[in-house]
Amino acid sequence: MRKLSVFLALVCAFVGGAVPAATPAAAVGARAQAAPSFNGTVWAIAFRGDVVYVGGSFTAVTYRGRSFERRRLAALDARTGAVLRWQPAADGTVRALAVAGPAVYAAGDFDSISGQSRDAVARIDASTGRPTRFAHRVTGDVATLAVGNGRVYVGGSFSAVDGVTRRNVAAFSHSSGALDRSWRPSTGGRVRSLAVTRSRIYLGGEFHQVNGSRAADRLAAVHPATGSLVRGFRPHAPANVMDVAADARGVYTATGGPGGRAVGYSASGAIRWTHLFDGDVHTIAVMGGIAYVGGHFDRACRRTSTVRQLGCPGGYTARVKLAALDGRGRLTGWNPRANGTIGTHVLTTYPPRHRIAAGGAFTRIGGTGRERFALFN
């Protein structure tokens, strides 16, 4: 769904073709640091230096016994966990966040931010928390956004933006805020996630065609300036794509279906590896060659899987709501152990500080209270 890690991928994005793989870095620690508690689900996280912005359905944040009113948007000090003064108020759930310079972009189910009309998408000053002059009319729902190439890309289930036909994906100018009328791909179903590189915008979701082509099923790449389909990327996603990420090695997806999967693809869309879990994988984020995944699974296959495999011939091992895979899709020892029925909705990485944040509906990590938000480094 919706992450700054996607935006940061710009610095190491590939331009198609094979890219030599770097040596993977060590995984972050599995023990979550002390952090505030949220009284509702966390759906979105974005980093800006030592500030971490959080969005969701919460209305209050508690830190060291003190409660702060924060209506679906909050900012924390990533070093200490302290709640910062930044406090725009959304009147509906915030489902995606991204940061670009002094701007925090938000998308979700809201109609206003701090009393100002903002229909599903908004730009908020990263320091003051005030909504900026970025206001659009969306006919439908926006579930995800990503920033790059001078644009703000959004996806969801909608039919028009500002009265202009846009089927489930659209883009705005980062500088002017205007709808980009030259970027006009369309999909035949909901777009759940976007990932941005210099040469491609990856779309993941529940669609079965892009720009009329049925070769683009659940996962596709389009050009960042025009939205035309990248014909050289031909994946065959095994199930609905719930999240997508990209780095210099390729593309990664989190999927649902009968047993959730994390899947690694090459730049051409060939499957590099798959790893099967016993429940949906909701989110995936990549840092240092390691793919971090979250969802509502409780177990993972001990070995990598085939794309059609159901069950684990090599047996399962416990990985409750969180796990990590190396560059070949093999399970690593990272095992924070979240709880809850639904578990983890979002993972966001911040490579400059070697940090990763998790959000969702969990209330404990490794047996310690961590209500709906956790930070690892």
Side-chain angles (χ1 to χ4, degrees), residues 24-25 101 107 137 147 161 169 189 202 225 234 262 328:
R137 292 178 291 109
V147 182
V161 176
V169 279
Y202 292 98
R234 292 183 172 271
R328 296 182 181 179

Side-chain angles (χ1 to χ4, degrees), residues 38 40-43 45 342-346 358-362 371-374:
F38 291 77
T41 301
V42 169
W43 289 96
I45 300 169
I342 297 174
T344 306
H345 285 301
V346 58
F362 54 81
E371 295 190 33
R372 303 173 184 88
F373 176 84

Side-chain angles (χ1 to χ4, degrees), residues 164-190:
V164 179
T165 298
R166 287 292 184 272
R167 300 207 177 278
N168 307 314
V169 279
F172 306 95
S173 166
H174 172 54
S175 58
S176 72
L179 177 68
D180 187 336
R181 293 176 180 265
S182 65
W183 197 79
R184 48 182 187 274
S186 65
T187 73
R190 182 181 180 86

Side-chain angles (χ1 to χ4, degrees), residues 204-227:
E206 301 165 12
F207 52 84
H208 297 290
Q209 59 87 6
V210 175
N211 296 348
S213 172
R214 294 193 176 275
D217 189 13
R218 302 186 181 109
L219 178 63
V222 298
H223 289 283
T226 64

Side-chain angles (χ1 to χ4, degrees), residues 8 25 114 146 166 204 208 265 284 293 368:
L8 291 169
S114 299
R166 287 292 184 272
H208 297 290
Y265 296 89
I284 190 163
V293 297
T368 301

Side-chain angles (χ1 to χ4, degrees), residues 25-34 47 287 290 292-293 319 322-324 332-338 347-350 353-358 365-366 370 374-377:
V28 297
R31 178 177 294 181
Q33 71 181 59
F47 285 97
M287 182 169 65
I290 296 174
Y292 297 88
V293 297
R319 287 294 186 276
L322 290 163
T332 74
W334 193 70
N335 188 17
R337 295 180 295 117
L347 290 167
T348 301
T349 61
Y350 187 57
R353 299 284 194 274
H354 199 58
R355 290 178 179 141
I356 184 166
I365 300 283
R370 294 289 182 266
L375 189 62
F376 306 90
N377 55 24

Side-chain angles (χ1 to χ4, degrees), residues 134-157:
F134 180 91
H136 298 275
R137 292 178 291 109
V138 180
T139 306
D141 302 318
V142 178
T144 183
L145 60 79
V147 182
N149 306 303
R151 296 174 177 85
V152 183
Y153 301 93
V154 299
S157 180

